[in-house]
Amino acid sequence: MIDPQPAQNRTLSLAVLSGKGGVGKTGFTLNLGYALHRFSQPVLLVDCDVGLANLDVMLGVSPKHNLQDLIVSDLDAGQVLFPVEPQGLDLLPAASGLTHLVEMDEDAREILMGKLNRHFSLYDYLLLDLPAGIGESVLSMARMVRQRVILLTPDPTSLTDSYAIIKVLSSRWGLRSFQVVVNMAESAQEARQTFEKLNQVCLNFLGFELESLGYVHASPVVRDSVRRQRPFVLSEPESEPARDVLSIARRISEARQSLLPKLSSTPVLADLERSVP
Ligand SMILES: Nc1ncnc2c1ncn2[C@@H]1O[C@H](COP(=O)(O)OP(=O)(O)OP(=O)(O)O)[C@@H](O)[C@H]1O
Ligand SMILES: [Mg+2]
């Protein structure tokens, strides 16, 4: 039985996707969470990946429960969510026993969404760190969120893999709204060129354009922050990557403001085939 939705949902759900692994999704999602927290909160980070550099590892925390407990046990979301500092930022850790969400059948996914949606609506932002690639679990989660942020690097293989993920999502479910962030850019020019290339391919072959949210500079600050298990938005707020992520967060926060009327009429995560207009 799926829980009823509250009448006034205000949560912007957003998934960070990449065609290729190792482009910086987890670090970006984490820092974006902290940056968005400055604009509006609470924020929930949902770890949908079981890779080695998980959100919990990047934060240096060891939560007791995880996403899997919600599927296989009677625990509810409130018992599984792990509060991190500062107040107003929570983590839903990845399911450690699953390779990823791919093993979830439709019923389990429905139960999960039902259990979680009610709780999710308490947050202003829901950020999903998804595994790389175009596995079924990635695709099904990507179609349930309000915004899909494609993270890519200037590397040509990252470009082709990003195009592949956009193509699959648009051809299968008619999705045509994608936000793009270029990570590890050496300069504004390189970031712009990278975005333009991807945008042009989408326009030529899929018939729609992408939205640029900005870029994040390549910087040793990012690697250091992973090593120190402390988000660079907190530890190095004046650094280039921190400023970059803050300006991306500002754009997302503005988008949320204008989306608020729409958000209120649909669940935080919804099966687009059925319920999102
Ligand atoms: N802007 C950046 N500048 C320099 N290094 C970066 C930047 N962004 C990410 N990195 C580095 O890239 C590596 C991979 O980052 P991360 O684990 O966040 O990627 P990912 O996309 O989540 O990987 P996976 O696909 O394995 O989940 C990390 O060592 C991180 O320090
Ligand atoms: Mg990752």
Side-chain angles (χ1 to χ4, degrees), residues 22-27 29 47 49 51-55 58 129-132:
V23 299
K25 282 182 306 303
T26 303
T29 309
D47 196 339
D49 197 357
L52 291 175
N54 276 28
L55 284 170
M58 284 204 189
D129 177 24
L130 294 184

Side-chain angles (χ1 to χ4, degrees), residues 163 166-167 170-171 174-178 198-210:
Y163 172 68
I166 294 170
K167 187 179 169 189
S170 71
S171 60
L175 296 173
R176 295 165 77 88
S177 168
F178 297 90
L198 183 61
N199 192 37
Q200 200 56 51
V201 188
C202 288
L203 186 58
N204 290 348
F205 297 103
L206 304 176
F208 60 85
E209 294 204 64
L210 307 169

Side-chain angles (χ1 to χ4, degrees), residues 8-271:
Q8 288 299 311
N9 165 31
R10 54 172 198 197
T11 317
L12 178 65
S13 55
L14 180 156
V16 180
L17 302 154
S18 76
K20 196 166 106 80
V23 299
K25 282 182 306 303
T26 303
F28 173 75
T29 309
L30 179 66
N31 281 280
L32 181 65
Y34 277 85
L36 285 170
H37 180 273
R38 294 198 189 172
F39 292 96
S40 169
Q41 39 136 324
V43 175
L44 177 61
L45 301 166
V46 186
D47 196 339
C48 300
D49 197 357
V50 290
L52 291 175
N54 276 28
L55 284 170
D56 56 344
V57 177
M58 284 204 189
L59 277 164
V61 297
S62 311
K64 200 164 145 213
H65 298 296
N66 63 43
L67 200 48
Q68 194 178 3
D69 295 318
L70 283 171
I71 304 168
V72 299
S73 77
D74 286 339
L75 293 178
D76 64 30
Q79 294 168 285
V80 173
L81 297 171
F82 187 85
V84 290
E85 290 291 324
Q87 207 188 358
L89 197 66
D90 291 343
L91 170 68
L92 180 53
S96 55
L98 303 172
T99 339
H100 37 83
L101 295 177
V102 93
E103 284 83 359
M104 281 207 304
D105 61 16
E106 281 296 305
D107 287 349
R109 203 165 59 96
E110 293 258 323
I111 290 168
L112 190 64
M113 294 314 136
K115 265 189 176 181
L116 293 182
N117 260 331
R118 196 182 46 141
H119 217 89
F120 283 167
S121 60
L122 302 172
Y123 292 87
D124 285 2
Y125 291 101
L126 187 77
L127 306 185
L128 274 62
D129 177 24
L130 294 184
I134 48 174
E136 285 304 319
S137 63
V138 173
L139 298 179
S140 73
M141 296 301 283
R143 80 171 202 263
M144 300 186 89
V145 293
R146 187 54 77 166
Q147 292 206 323
R148 283 154 290 278
V149 175
I150 307 284
L151 193 72
L152 80 161
T153 69
D155 180 344
T157 60
S158 177
L159 192 84
T160 49
D161 290 346
S162 300
Y163 172 68
I165 203 167
I166 294 170
K167 187 179 169 189
V168 176
L169 285 167
S170 71
S171 60
R172 274 217 211 164
W173 293 297
L175 296 173
R176 295 165 77 88
S177 168
F178 297 90
Q179 283 73 35
V180 176
V181 171
V182 177
N183 189 24
M184 305 194 208
E186 294 297 339
S187 64
Q189 191 193 13
E190 187 183 45
R192 199 165 41 245
Q193 286 169 349
T194 303
F195 171 78
E196 273 314 323
K197 275 186 212 158
L198 183 61
N199 192 37
Q200 200 56 51
V201 188
C202 288
L203 186 58
N204 290 348
F205 297 103
L206 304 176
F208 60 85
E209 294 204 64
L210 307 169
E211 183 192 342
S212 171
L213 284 180
Y215 68 99
V216 183
H217 279 91
S219 162
V221 165
V222 180
R223 210 158 303 125
D224 287 351
S225 106
V226 175
R227 237 176 258 142
R228 287 202 226 115
Q229 297 179 303
R230 193 152 164 77
F232 54 80
V233 163
L234 291 185
S235 59
E236 301 279 349
E238 296 305 322
S239 65
E240 273 184 333
R243 286 165 188 261
D244 298 337
V245 172
L246 273 165
S247 85
I248 291 166
R250 187 170 296 112
R251 290 213 178 105
I252 294 173
S253 157
E254 286 162 6
R256 176 174 169 271
Q257 286 304 320
S258 57
L259 279 170
L260 275 176
K262 264 195 191 171
L263 299 180
S264 68
S265 58
T266 43
V268 181
L269 294 181
D271 199 329

